[in-house]
Amino acid sequence: KNQVEQSPQSLIILEGKNCTLQCNYTVSPFSNLRWYKQDTGRGPVSLTIMTFSENTKSNGRYTATLDADTKQSSLHITASQLSDSASYICVVSDPSGTYKYIFGTGTRLKVLA
Amino acid sequence: NAGVMQNPRHLVRRRGQEARLRCSPMKGHSHVYWYRQLPEEGLKFMVYLQKENIIDESGMPKERFSAEFPKEGPSILRIQQVVRGDSAAYFCASSLDGTDTQYFGPGTRLTVL
C-alpha cells in the first residue's frame, strides 16, 4: 500500500532555533515529492517540490532533502519564527497519476517566543 | 489574482440533508481537485475534474457523493443524505494542467448534527 509517514507528530521549539522534520514513504515509483505548510483553518501552501532525481531544494529558510534510495525526505527550517507555527505535510505523487497526491498526516510545529 | 475560493467556509447540516460545496479555481486554471480531511488524518484524494469532464473519481464514495465542473461557474461537490461520518474538512485545489502544482483553497468545514 502506498503510504507517507511523518515524524515527529508534533514539535515545540523556541524562536530562532532550527528543526528538522522527517518523511518516510513507500510510494514507488513516484514522480515528485512536495512539502506543504498548512496553517490552522487554512488550505495547504506549497513550499518545495523535488523530482525523484533531485537531492535538495531550498525556499528561503526552508530546505528539503530527498534520498530516493532509502525513501526518505526531510524538511529543515532555519532560524524559526513565530509564523512558522503550522502543520508541515509531506506529499508524494501517486504512481497511477501525478495529479493524485498522497498526503502524510503532517508534523504540527509550534514555535514559542 | 485571487487564489482558490471555497464557500461556504463552514456548513452545518442535519442528518439526511444535502450539502453543496463550491469551489472557484484560480484564474486561468481549468483543472480542479477535491480532497477530504478527516480529523487527525491527512488529506485524501476524492475526484479530479476538468471543465465539464470527470477525469478521475476513484476516491469518491460510490453513493451519495457527486461532483461537477460546468462550463460556466464553480465546481460543486454535492453530498446527499449526509451522515455524521461525512463531517470533515473538504478542500478544493486547482492547477494549470494535470502535472502542475496544485493550489489549495481554504476549505469548507462540514459538520453533520
Side-chain angles (χ1 to χ4, degrees):
Chain A
K1 185 182 174 184
N2 291 320
Q3 284 190 310
V4 178
E5 296 186 352
Q6 294 185 241
S7 63
Q9 248 186 336
S10 59
L11 183 61
I12 300 174
I13 61 173
L14 293 176
E15 188 179 13
K17 298 296 186 185
N18 304 335
C19 67
T20 301
L21 314 180
Q22 301 291 345
C23 172
N24 296 315
Y25 59 91
T26 59
V27 183
S28 182
F30 75 96
S31 59
N32 54 59
L33 184 148
R34 303 163 191 265
W35 282 91
Y36 275 83
K37 177 186 179 187
Q38 185 176 18
D39 291 307
T40 302
R42 311 288 285 273
V45 174
S46 180
L47 292 176
T48 63
I49 172 175
M50 289 180 290
T51 65
F52 66 91
S53 61
E54 292 179 292
N55 298 121
T56 186
K57 185 68 70 79
S58 290
N59 177 3
R61 295 181 296 104
Y62 301 105
T63 299
T65 64
L66 174 62
D67 186 335
D69 291 331
T70 61
K71 294 192 171 66
Q72 293 181 326
S73 177
S74 65
L75 180 70
H76 187 74
I77 304 175
T78 306
S80 60
Q81 300 176 358
L82 297 178
S83 58
D84 292 334
S85 296
S87 284
Y88 291 85
I89 308 171
C90 177
V91 183
V92 181
S93 294
D94 191 297
S96 65
T98 56
Y99 54 82
K100 198 183 293 184
Y101 288 0
I102 301 174
F103 281 75
T105 51
T107 291
R108 278 202 200 92
L109 175 66
K110 179 78 174 171
V111 181
L112 300 178
Chain B
N1 185 12
V4 178
M5 292 165 53
Q6 290 187 247
N7 67 81
R9 294 293 308 276
H10 300 274
L11 183 61
V12 179
R13 284 286 178 267
R14 296 192 181 281
R15 279 180 296 170
Q17 291 184 319
E18 178 180 288
R20 279 184 171 239
L21 288 61
R22 293 176 190 75
C23 169
S24 296
M26 281 180 73
K27 189 175 180 181
H29 287 189
S30 60
H31 297 248
V32 165
Y33 316 81
W34 285 93
Y35 292 83
R36 176 165 65 175
Q37 185 175 31
L38 295 170
E40 306 302 319
E41 292 188 15
L43 279 74
K44 295 282 196 303
F45 170 81
M46 297 180 76
V47 62
Y48 165 30
L49 309 107
Q50 273 184 276
K51 283 286 186 183
E52 299 184 277
N53 289 309
I54 295 175
I55 307 301
D56 182 346
E57 56 181 350
S58 58
M60 288 274 272
K62 294 286 185 281
E63 297 175 350
R64 301 187 298 108
F65 285 71
S66 63
E68 63 176 10
F69 189 15
K71 190 176 179 183
E72 301 290 338
S75 174
I76 307 281
L77 179 68
R78 185 177 172 213
I79 311 173
Q80 295 178 290
Q81 299 172 348
V82 296
V83 301
R84 289 224 173 99
D86 296 333
S87 295
Y90 292 83
F91 290 93
C92 166
S94 74
S95 67
L96 208 52
D97 62 42
T99 61
D100 190 36
T101 294
Q102 295 175 24
Y103 295 84
F104 285 80
T108 293
R109 272 142 195 89
L110 173 66
T111 301
V112 180
L113 302 177

